[in-house]
Amino acid sequence: MSDTPAAVGTWILNFVTPIGELTPQAVLNADGSALITLDFGTVDVTDVVYDGDDVTFTVTVQMPMGEFELTVAATVDGDTLSGSFWGSVGTFPLTGVRQS
């Protein structure tokens, strides 16, 4: 059995938001560091917690409408993940597919 958390890897995420769908790339590392790359740049991910097949993390995104802190919670099933993200604008679904 591997000690590497199930969510470690490179993912293409699909966030369904009030302004449309976003498909950022997320890199989740075993040491708890992570980055998300969006069309407008790369943002740091904080508070990464792995718990079996589950992962949670926080990301702060600068948008034209202001800064938003979002919390993400997802469950990994092989090379896919699903869950939700939430912040001051509400709670929305997300999915992801592992790239590596």
Side-chain angles (χ1 to χ4, degrees):
M1 184 170 155
S2 172
D3 290 336
T4 302
V8 168
T10 301
W11 298 86
I12 299 298
L13 303 178
N14 184 307
F15 289 89
V16 179
T17 76
I19 59 170
E21 290 186 32
L22 301 173
T23 55
Q25 180 187 63
V27 177
L28 303 174
N29 300 305
D31 66 1
S33 64
L35 291 173
I36 290 183
T37 303
L38 298 149
D39 290 342
F40 51 83
T42 300
V43 294
D44 287 320
V45 176
T46 59
D47 304 322
V48 178
V49 176
Y50 299 113
D51 184 10
D53 292 337
D54 298 330
V55 62
T56 59
F57 57 85
T58 303
V59 61
T60 302
V61 180
Q62 275 299 126
M63 300 291 284
M65 317 57 105
E67 182 177 279
F68 295 95
E69 183 175 282
L70 303 172
T71 300
V72 175
T75 300
V76 175
D77 183 9
D79 288 333
T80 63
L81 63 76
S82 61
S84 59
F85 67 100
W86 61 91
S88 62
V89 295
T91 300
F92 305 96
L94 86 106
T95 58
V97 176
R98 188 187 313 267
Q99 298 298 294
S100 64

